[in-house]
Amino acid sequence: MGVINVTPDSFSDGGVHFDADVAAIAARAMIADGAAIVDVGGESTRPGSDGVTLDEELRRVVPVLERLRGEVPVSIDTAKAEVARRALALGAELVNDVTALRGDPGLAGVVADTGAYLCLMHMQGEPRTMQLEPRYDDVVSEVAAFLEERLAAAVDAGVPEERICVDPGIGFGKTVEHNLELLRRLDEIVAIGRPVVIGTSRKSFIGKLTGREAPDRVAGTLATNVLALERGAEVFRVHDVRPTVDALKVATATLTGQWTKTQTT
Ligand code: HH2
């Protein structure tokens, strides 16, 4: 899953894809590099951020979705029902909701009515304050219990279970230790029985471990994604698609013993 943030302020690529034409070109390049889907978002959820209005979010993402329509598989990264509704009407297939249906009460209905796929992500607190003092007794079991509860709520609201994936929400109300423990024990999230999405790309815990500023965190991101693959994750949300596809190809061949030759480019 390639990340296209149509924002001026995302933590690692703010402003890069703020122009709709530039965003559409980058999305097509991600697909050419091997992404299965691109995740288009118009609101940064970086630590400390405030939200944007509905109008502003629509102004950012609709022109990009119009350009990608019918051409590129799209996920919409939003917590707002109206943004999801417009995005799905423009061909998006998946709603990636970092609030796990706790934000906009209308969102579950939009997903259920349209038959879209849904990603439910764990977050402790809200973006503005989530990194101030994250606390858990046992981060992995608490995140797993939360995702199971939100999965049941989504199914109750009419979203078929087969259409739902879950995400432990790396960096969303978590210390470095919490993120590492979630990655180390990711099999306990996989045990929920739904495909697991993992989003470590360029995040600050990688900066703390390596001393690198974003966007220079590709190698650290690759390490986390290979380890997550080995523990059963199925979707990898990344800014740097090409190196990720290469790393996951080699890791998959190693884990399975199966491979096919890729033409040299
Ligand atoms: N992380 C971010 C945003 N959306 N969605 C899922 N499912 N999982 C994640 O880990 C995740 C997400 C934050 O990263 P980014 O989009 O790069 O930054 P920003 O929120 O500043 O736009």
Side-chain angles (χ1 to χ4, degrees):
M1 174 185 277
V3 180
I4 298 283
N5 286 318
V6 195
T7 57
D9 58 344
S10 286
F11 78 93
S12 86
D13 60 351
V16 174
H17 303 131
F18 203 40
D19 175 88
D21 287 320
V22 174
I25 289 166
R28 289 185 199 108
M30 286 177 176
I31 298 295
D33 282 341
I37 195 162
V38 295
D39 190 37
V40 177
E43 176 176 77
S44 173
T45 48
R46 73 185 189 289
S49 62
D50 287 318
V52 296
T53 63
L54 171 62
D55 282 353
E56 178 59 22
E57 198 173 328
L58 286 171
R59 211 174 6 255
R60 293 176 182 183
V61 298
V62 166
V64 179
L65 299 170
E66 284 170 347
R67 283 162 176 76
L68 299 179
R69 185 178 198 168
E71 195 192 327
V72 168
V74 167
S75 151
I76 181 73
D77 188 349
T78 190
K80 295 190 181 71
E82 182 57 17
V83 175
R85 196 185 64 72
R86 291 282 293 277
L88 295 167
L90 286 167
E93 296 168 28
L94 185 152
V95 175
N96 175 23
D97 175 18
V98 298
T99 74
L101 301 182
R102 294 174 302 157
D104 186 332
L107 186 54
V110 170
V111 176
D113 291 349
T114 51
Y117 289 92
L118 174 66
C119 177
L120 299 170
M121 196 197 78
H122 176 271
M123 166 165 35
Q124 186 179 83
E126 52 170 13
R128 205 167 43 81
T129 52
M130 66 190 178
Q131 288 305 104
L132 295 182
E133 211 180 344
R135 255 176 221 275
Y136 303 85
D137 288 327
D138 176 359
V139 65
V140 182
S141 54
E142 285 170 50
V143 168
F146 170 90
L147 291 174
E148 281 182 346
E149 187 271 317
R150 297 318 299 157
L151 177 62
V155 170
D156 277 352
V159 184
E161 183 166 342
E162 318 80 72
R163 300 216 155 230
I164 304 173
C165 49
V166 295
D167 182 332
I170 297 294
F172 284 84
K174 281 132 192 143
T175 62
V176 175
E177 289 75 18
H178 295 142
N179 292 323
L180 296 178
E181 183 142 15
L182 280 163
L183 286 167
R184 193 163 56 246
R185 292 169 54 197
L186 199 65
D187 55 314
E188 293 174 44
I189 306 295
V190 172
I192 293 171
R194 298 306 312 147
V196 169
V197 179
I198 194 85
T200 58
S201 191
R202 301 180 179 174
K203 284 186 177 167
S204 73
F205 79 106
I206 293 174
K208 288 183 183 142
L209 291 168
T210 60
R212 307 278 181 219
E213 293 298 331
D216 183 21
R217 294 178 183 163
V218 184
T221 301
L222 293 175
T224 61
N225 282 325
V226 168
L227 290 166
L229 172 83
E230 202 258 337
R231 287 157 173 75
E234 291 183 38
V235 181
F236 306 85
R237 184 182 182 278
V238 296
H239 304 84
D240 305 287
V241 169
R242 188 201 285 241
T244 303
V245 169
D246 286 1
L248 294 178
K249 262 186 200 163
V250 175
T252 302
T254 309
L255 289 168
T256 63
Q258 314 274 315
W259 66 285
T260 47
K261 190 170 179 349
T262 302
Q263 219 49 47
T264 306
T265 52

